[in-house]
Amino acid sequence: DGGYIDVNEYSETSVDRVYAVGDVCGNVELTPMAIAAGRRLADRLFSANPDHAHAKVSYENVPTVVFSHPPIGTIGLTENEAIEKYGESVKVYSSKFSNMWYGPFQIEASEKPKTCMKLVCAGKSEQVVGLHVIGIAADELLQGFGVAMKMGATKADFDSTIAIHPTAAEELVTLFPWGLSSQETGAKVSPLNGNETPEPDQ
């Protein structure tokens, strides 16, 4: 199929005890993705930990960056993909601004390079299903927000996070309208409305 090796969700080929990971499988063709797939396969095959008996990699919500100037970062569904999957429950929040790094530049504000951000949310809880950024530091900020998305973060979770000022990333936790989303969280224990961060299980 297009020169790729067919594998199942456990990186198994049609030949017993022959496995394949990485670009040859045609899933997400990124080096860190191949490394993660290899680690999960090794865990499942060689680990004595029973928790690893069904270890496999997830190809959902993989953060991806184009190292252009400015960089582009994306994770999850595009707006169109989200509408196709979730219909009218999709809400989109966006922002366009000049990064403060350009503040001292003696050029017209309209000529300063812009940073653009889009948050795609779905469902009553407004779970974040897509996050897209172009601008300075898009590559760096995407990693942290990728963790939040893998954990099922909602718009309310983003709004409950205190902004770090002055940064570009603060825009994603202050997107208008702020604080009006349904007060639902993607976390196991709600961090909303001033609740304390849960203690680790002992």
Side-chain angles (χ1 to χ4, degrees):
D1 184 24
Y4 294 115
I5 297 172
D6 288 330
V7 294
N8 63 18
E9 61 186 333
Y10 293 104
S11 302
E12 296 170 329
T13 68
S14 58
V15 179
D16 188 39
R17 296 187 181 184
V18 176
Y19 308 91
V21 298
D23 294 0
V24 296
C25 300
N27 289 317
V28 178
E29 298 183 13
L30 297 170
T31 300
M33 188 78 252
I35 292 169
R39 285 177 173 168
R40 299 306 174 275
L41 177 61
D43 285 344
R44 188 166 55 80
L45 295 178
F46 305 114
S47 175
N49 185 337
D51 289 343
H52 294 156
H54 300 286
K56 61 182 178 179
V57 73
S58 170
Y59 291 95
E60 290 185 327
N61 287 335
V62 176
T64 305
V65 169
V66 178
F67 291 98
S68 51
H69 299 283
I72 302 166
T74 182
I75 180 172
L77 303 177
T78 65
E79 180 177 349
N80 288 341
E81 288 170 340
I83 291 170
E84 185 176 324
K85 185 170 184 178
Y86 299 109
E88 295 181 2
S89 75
V90 171
K91 289 185 181 177
V92 175
Y93 302 87
S94 60
S95 180
K96 182 178 181 180
F97 59 95
S98 295
N99 191 292
M100 292 182 71
W101 189 81
Y102 295 107
F105 286 47
Q106 298 301 307
I107 55 176
E108 293 295 321
S110 61
E111 295 181 10
K112 292 180 180 180
K114 301 297 185 283
T115 293
C116 299
M117 298 182 172
K118 180 184 279 190
L119 204 63
V120 183
C121 303
K124 179 177 174 290
S125 68
E126 292 193 46
Q127 181 174 334
V128 180
V129 296
L131 190 156
H132 313 282
V133 181
I134 179 171
I136 290 177
D139 46 353
E140 293 293 342
L141 70 84
L142 192 65
Q143 190 74 78
F145 285 108
V147 173
M149 282 187 61
K150 291 290 280 188
M151 296 177 70
T154 63
K155 175 66 161 64
D157 288 323
F158 274 52
D159 290 350
S160 75
T161 304
I162 304 302
I164 301 171
H165 182 76
T167 65
E170 71 179 300
E171 197 74 15
L172 286 168
V173 298
T174 57
L175 284 169
F176 180 84
W178 180 88
L180 300 181
S181 300
S182 174
Q183 292 297 290
E184 296 189 41
T185 178
K188 288 196 300 183
V189 178
S190 175
L192 304 181
N193 300 314
N195 289 338
E196 293 184 6
T197 301
E199 292 294 324
D201 293 336
Q202 296 298 323

